[in-house]
């Protein structure tokens, strides 16, 4: 029971807090009423105590919003010194907080914290005086300091952790840093460093950055989604962690991929951070190393399959649509082949879904090929394509190439596919293998004698374009690359597998083995290569060129479905951005320094196609879609607080 003096003191303290926290400072939506504050202040936690002993818990400062843990003990007798102390059992308490952050809480709110950039006026208005050193610095100086600190780290994973820590304490500074230094930091927050981060995610995990939906949540997925604090979600990136980059099954630790992708949606595409939601579907893992790792953060069981898996996915998809509506873009990321194609086919009819591994990769590679034609000449239909790898990426790219050829020539899609050949782990995909092929490979089975090696396929088919999506490093051997160079003046070689260690060949190998004649692009970044006195800057066929702008286009148009023509529009727009200056340096892609401008142009093209196809719901259509896209893009510049 609380004494009258303690209760009065608690209410007096709450009243003073109301006076300090009241009003609308900081852009909040208003504070709790006085009556509510008094009611909360009267709430106390009481510990179980020995007989003749009463304890009361004093309320802490509302600005700190932590659990109450201060005690005022009132006793009317001394404890028996010979008696062992009785254990005290802590009873549950209810945490609560005001809606307007000030003081200590404001400095720990990543959405509103500005660190040393708080002005003198803001420090007085929000009770920050004394909680910060006296210096007031600009956001630009903060960026300069953090870049200086990041460059001191020699290990890429250390830079990744430092960036994630920054995102968790100062969101706007994180995005300002990433936008201003995108070429240097893109490999840190995404490929290749994110791959290592996912492998060690259990060890580096600090604070949750997204939602985890596991098998244990079956039947209550809707409740899990409601736990996310934001309601106006526009883009969701979801993975089940079964095929993370080229690293395989990383289970729950695949969360690094949705987090990384969505940071690029904001930095490169301008989608608001609060409108982005990373989600991991945890159905277990078949990775024995993780199952035996004491730091693993997921369910410790073998991966669920079949009906159990699909029931959870169906419940999840229904829950997303129920809470966020049909205009939320759901991006499937790093699902294994046997689920990726089925999920995309099933939900593309009822949801706004997009698979980046199948469709995003295809779109950026098609853009690279269209750009390459300006160097090697000819049309798409006049070239012959050979893929090493027939999974999500390989078949997705192949299909989009065939669609673009069909669009340009008005030829049936079946005829266009005959220009494209695929090699999987068993060799060239041919008609004689058709009965044993997975459904998504059957379209690529052409009439030809069986061949078991890539070199045999290259020498027999004589492709002008060689594309690697195998996930197996160094499979474009010297013999394979030299064979490509023997019958092509400018062989097009795309080594797309991630991370860098899984790349089919390096940029240096491609240029050296072709005497500098290769038109080369890779999935992971490579340093410039010097050959015969000329410096080549290899292009990176990075999905980040496409998906942020594509997502922005979907959002600003209010599209309800993704159509393949929207992907073609994105590819064609990106291809137009490469200049002769890029080609002279050996790159077929524009520099990332212009990526936000490029994303706005892609968004405008995607939105225009959505309006043309009757899939857009945001009416009336803006007159200038590119300017409208730019006006909708999030900017990380600090705001002034009242």
């Amino acid at each position: 029971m609380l004494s009258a003096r303690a209760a009065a003191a608690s209410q007096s303290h709450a009243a003073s807090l109301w006076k300090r926290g009241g009003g609308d400072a900081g852009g909040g939506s208003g504070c709790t009423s006085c009556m509510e504050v008094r009611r909360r202040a009267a709430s106390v936690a009481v510990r179980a105590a020995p007989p003749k002993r009463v304890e009361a818990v004093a309320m802490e400062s509302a600005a700190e919003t932590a659990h109450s843990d201060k005690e005022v003990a009132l006793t009317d007798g001394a404890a028996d010194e010979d008696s062992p102390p009785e254990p005290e059992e802590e009873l549950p308490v209810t945490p609560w907080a005001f809606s307007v952050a000030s003081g200590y809480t404001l400095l720990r709110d990543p959405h509103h914290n500005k660190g040393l950039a708080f002005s003198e006026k803001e420090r007085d208005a929000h009770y920050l005086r004394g909680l910060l050193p006296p210096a007031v610095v600009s956001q630009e100086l903060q960026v300069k300091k953090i870049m200086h600190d990041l460059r001191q780290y020699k290990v890429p994973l250390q830079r990744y952790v430092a960036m994630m820590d920054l995102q968790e304490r100062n969101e706007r500074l994180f995005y300002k840093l990433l936008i201003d230094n995108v070429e240097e930091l893109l490999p840190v927050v995404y490929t290749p460093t994110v791959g290592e981060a996912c492998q060690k995610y259990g060890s580096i995990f600090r604070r949750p950055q997204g939602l985890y939906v596991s098998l244990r949540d079956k039947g209550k997925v809707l409740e899990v989604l409601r736990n996310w604090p934001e309601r106006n979600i526009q883009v969701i990136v979801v993975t089940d962690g079964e095929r993370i980059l080229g690293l395989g099954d990383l289970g729950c630790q695949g969360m690094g991929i949705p987090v990384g992708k969505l940071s690029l949606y904001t930095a490169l595409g301008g989608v608001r951070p609060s409108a982005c939601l990373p989600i991991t579907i945890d159905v277990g893992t078949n990775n024995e190393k993780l199952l035996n790792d004491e730091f693993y953060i997921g369910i410790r069981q073998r991966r669920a399959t079949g009906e159990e898996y699909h029931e959870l996915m169906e419940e999840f998809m229904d829950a997303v649509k129920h809470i966020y509506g049909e205009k939320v873009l759901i991006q499937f990321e790093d699902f294994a082949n046997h689920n990726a194609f089925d999920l995309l086919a099933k939900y593309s009819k009822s949801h706004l879904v997009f698979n980046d591994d199948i469709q995003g990769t295809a779109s950026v590679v098609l853009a690279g090929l269209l750009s390459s034609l300006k160097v090697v000449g000819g049309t798409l239909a006049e070239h012959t394509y050979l893929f090493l790898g027939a999974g999500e990426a390989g078949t997705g790219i192949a299909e989009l190439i065939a669609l673009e050829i069909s669009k340009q020539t008005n030829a049936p899609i079946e005829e266009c596919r005959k220009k494209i050949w695929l090699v999987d782990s068993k060799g060239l995909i041919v008609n004689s293998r058709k009965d044993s092929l997975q459904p998504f490979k059957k379209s690529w089975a052409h009439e030809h004698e069986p061949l078991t090696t890539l070199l045999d396929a290259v020498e027999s088919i004589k492709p002008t374009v060689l594309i690697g999506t195998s996930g197996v490093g160094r499979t474009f051997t010297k013999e394979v690359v030299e064979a490509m160079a023997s019958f092509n003046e400018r062989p097009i070689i795309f080594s797309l597998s991630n991370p860098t260690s899984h790349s089919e060949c390096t940029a240096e190998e491609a240029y050296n083995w072709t005497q500098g004649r290769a038109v080369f692009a890779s999935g992971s970044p490579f340093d410039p290569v010097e050959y015969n006195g000329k410096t080549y800057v290899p292009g990176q066929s990075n999905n980040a060129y496409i998906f942020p702008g594509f997502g922005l286009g979907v959002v600003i148009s209010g599209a309800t479905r993704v159509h393949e023509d929207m992907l073609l529009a994105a590819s064609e727009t990106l291809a137009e951005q490469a200049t002769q200056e890029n080609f002279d340096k050996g790159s077929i892609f524009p520099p990332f320094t212009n990526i936000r401008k490029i994303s706005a142009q892609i968004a405008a093209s995607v939105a225009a196609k959505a309006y043309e196809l009757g899939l857009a719901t945001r009416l009336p259509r803006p007159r200038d879609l590119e300017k409208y896209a730019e006006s909708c893009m999030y900017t990380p510049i600090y705001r002034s607080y009242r």
Side-chain angles (χ1 to χ4, degrees):
M1 184 174 180
L2 189 67
S3 71
R5 180 181 298 176
S10 180
Q11 290 193 8
S12 174
H13 180 58
S16 68
L17 287 173
W18 164 255
K19 188 174 181 181
R20 286 178 55 184
D24 200 24
S29 57
C31 289
T32 316
S33 67
C34 293
M35 182 178 296
E36 176 67 7
V37 174
R38 292 192 183 101
R39 183 187 69 77
R40 287 174 169 175
S43 302
V44 295
V46 181
R47 285 190 174 185
K52 298 184 180 181
R53 183 181 177 194
V54 180
E55 294 178 342
V57 180
M59 293 297 292
E60 71 179 282
S61 166
E64 296 179 25
T65 63
H67 290 219
S68 300
D69 61 358
K70 300 176 183 177
E71 296 181 3
V72 178
L74 304 175
T75 62
D76 58 358
D80 186 351
E81 294 181 359
D82 296 329
S83 302
E86 294 187 25
E88 294 182 350
E89 180 182 352
E90 178 120 16
L91 298 180
V93 299
T94 301
W96 60 272
F98 285 114
S99 61
V100 177
S102 285
Y104 197 75
T105 300
L106 180 55
L107 296 179
R108 276 150 183 77
D109 176 0
H111 307 300
H112 301 101
N113 179 32
K114 299 196 292 186
L116 289 176
F118 281 109
S119 67
E120 296 284 355
K121 184 178 179 181
E122 288 172 330
R123 296 183 188 205
D124 286 333
H126 293 278
Y127 306 98
L128 300 173
R129 185 70 64 183
L131 298 181
L132 290 167
V136 176
V137 304
S138 66
Q139 191 177 26
E140 287 69 24
L141 186 58
Q142 288 179 313
V143 167
K144 182 179 180 180
K145 176 187 179 297
I146 294 174
M147 283 306 301
H148 174 269
D149 293 344
L150 288 174
R151 289 166 181 152
Q152 306 308 305
Y153 294 119
K154 302 304 180 185
V155 179
L157 187 61
Q158 292 176 328
R159 295 193 188 101
Y160 176 89
V161 172
M163 287 290 289
M164 293 305 102
D165 284 345
L166 176 62
Q167 189 178 21
E168 290 173 5
R169 71 175 185 270
N170 189 330
E171 184 177 81
R172 286 181 176 269
L173 184 56
F174 169 84
Y175 286 113
K176 174 70 171 169
L177 186 79
L178 184 52
I179 291 169
D180 289 356
N181 301 275
V182 62
E183 289 192 309
E184 184 173 351
L185 295 181
L186 188 60
V188 175
V189 299
Y190 199 57
T191 55
T193 309
V194 72
E196 183 183 1
C198 287
Q199 290 176 307
K200 301 175 180 178
Y201 210 76
S203 299
I204 66 175
F205 178 84
R206 282 163 173 65
R207 293 175 59 188
Q209 294 176 292
L211 274 178
Y212 295 84
V213 177
S214 75
L215 285 172
R216 297 172 185 170
D217 303 315
K218 197 172 180 180
K220 49 187 177 182
V221 173
L222 195 62
E223 298 173 31
V224 173
L225 292 184
R226 283 186 174 134
N227 287 339
W228 190 251
E230 302 291 344
R231 283 293 172 265
N232 186 21
I233 299 298
Q234 296 172 328
V235 181
I236 290 172
V237 176
V238 59
T239 186
D240 70 353
E242 189 169 5
R243 192 199 61 82
I244 298 297
L245 301 175
L247 302 171
D249 186 352
L250 298 184
C252 191
Q253 298 190 166
M255 178 59 94
I257 296 295
V259 170
K261 287 279 186 180
L262 285 169
S263 68
L264 300 185
Y265 261 109
T266 296
L268 312 186
V271 180
R272 290 180 296 103
S274 61
C276 298
L277 174 54
I279 297 179
T280 291
I281 307 290
D282 185 3
V283 294
T285 179
N286 294 333
N287 187 324
E288 293 292 343
K289 183 178 179 181
L290 290 179
L291 290 173
N292 296 319
D293 183 354
E294 63 178 328
F295 299 129
Y296 181 57
I297 58 176
I299 294 177
R300 294 178 186 273
Q301 69 168 60
R302 307 288 293 181
R303 192 170 274 279
T305 59
E307 186 177 345
E308 185 180 19
Y309 176 89
H310 287 287
E311 283 180 353
L312 180 63
M313 285 302 303
E314 187 165 353
E315 183 184 353
F316 166 73
M317 295 298 290
D318 289 344
V320 167
K321 196 169 185 179
H322 179 83
I323 290 184
Y324 304 120
E326 67 174 350
K327 290 186 288 186
V328 60
L329 176 62
I330 305 170
Q331 178 172 313
F332 294 125
E333 194 69 39
D334 287 355
F335 284 77
N337 292 338
H338 56 269
N339 288 322
F341 290 98
D342 290 344
L343 291 171
L344 184 60
K346 178 178 180 179
Y347 292 109
S348 60
K349 301 177 181 68
S350 57
H351 293 69
L352 181 65
V353 294
F354 168 73
N355 187 302
D356 191 45
D357 304 298
I358 299 173
Q359 297 167 298
T361 300
S363 189
V364 73
V365 173
L366 176 58
L369 290 174
L370 292 172
S371 181
S372 298
L373 297 180
K374 301 173 187 177
V375 178
V376 302
T379 65
L380 277 183
E382 292 170 343
H383 286 269
T384 303
Y385 307 86
L386 178 63
F387 285 77
L388 177 62
E392 295 170 57
T395 56
I397 298 166
E399 184 68 13
L400 204 63
I401 293 171
L403 285 168
E404 182 69 10
I405 294 174
S406 178
K407 176 183 174 183
Q408 292 180 4
T409 63
N410 292 319
I413 187 71
E414 293 77 16
E415 288 298 314
C416 300
R417 289 181 181 131
K418 292 179 181 178
K419 299 287 295 180
I420 305 168
W421 299 82
L422 277 71
V423 173
D424 65 8
S425 59
K426 294 181 175 60
L428 188 67
I429 295 178
V430 294
N431 271 335
S432 59
R433 294 180 52 197
K434 205 163 188 176
D435 292 341
S436 63
L437 292 173
Q438 294 168 282
F440 59 87
K441 295 183 182 181
K442 292 182 184 292
S443 299
W444 310 104
H446 307 319
E447 194 60 49
H448 198 284
E449 63 176 320
L451 298 172
T452 56
T453 71
L454 175 63
L455 181 58
D456 289 341
V458 168
E459 292 176 338
S460 176
I461 293 168
K462 291 184 168 46
T464 54
V465 180
L466 179 63
I467 299 176
T469 60
S470 64
V472 182
R474 304 302 183 267
T475 43
F476 287 177
T477 62
K478 183 178 182 181
E479 292 76 17
V480 166
V481 174
E482 287 181 342
M484 285 290 296
S486 69
F487 49 77
N488 289 299
E489 178 60 29
R490 299 298 305 271
I492 299 174
I493 299 175
F494 285 5
S495 173
L496 302 179
S497 293
N498 287 314
T500 309
S501 59
H502 291 225
S503 186
E504 284 79 9
C505 72
T506 67
E508 184 176 16
E509 290 167 343
Y511 291 123
N512 285 337
W513 294 339
T514 62
Q515 296 79 49
R517 293 185 284 119
V519 177
F520 178 81
S522 60
S524 292
F526 282 103
D527 292 331
V529 175
E530 187 172 332
Y531 179 82
N532 271 359
K534 181 178 179 180
T535 300
Y536 297 86
V537 181
Q540 186 185 359
S541 182
N542 193 320
N543 291 20
Y545 276 115
I546 290 288
F547 70 80
F550 183 88
L552 179 62
V554 168
V555 168
I556 65 173
S557 64
T560 55
R561 297 290 181 272
V562 169
H563 191 278
E564 59 198 23
D565 285 353
M566 296 159 69
L567 297 167
L568 295 178
S571 297
E572 292 163 4
T573 302
L574 176 59
E576 292 168 1
Q577 309 309 309
T579 65
Q580 187 60 47
E581 183 182 355
N582 304 136
F583 301 145
D584 292 342
K585 294 178 180 178
S587 178
I588 55 174
F589 290 100
F592 263 106
T593 49
N594 300 325
I595 187 60
R596 279 174 73 93
K597 179 69 174 176
I598 294 170
S599 292
Q601 293 172 331
I602 291 173
S605 298
V606 169
K609 187 59 68 173
Y611 281 106
E612 180 185 323
L613 295 169
L615 297 173
T617 62
R618 200 174 301 279
L619 301 172
R621 169 179 168 161
R623 292 181 183 177
D624 189 326
L625 282 169
E626 186 177 335
K627 285 186 178 178
Y628 180 65
E630 290 175 344
S631 71
C632 293
M633 295 176 83
Y634 165 85
T635 175
I637 303 301
Y638 286 146
R639 295 172 296 178
S640 296
Y641 298 150
R642 294 193 295 254

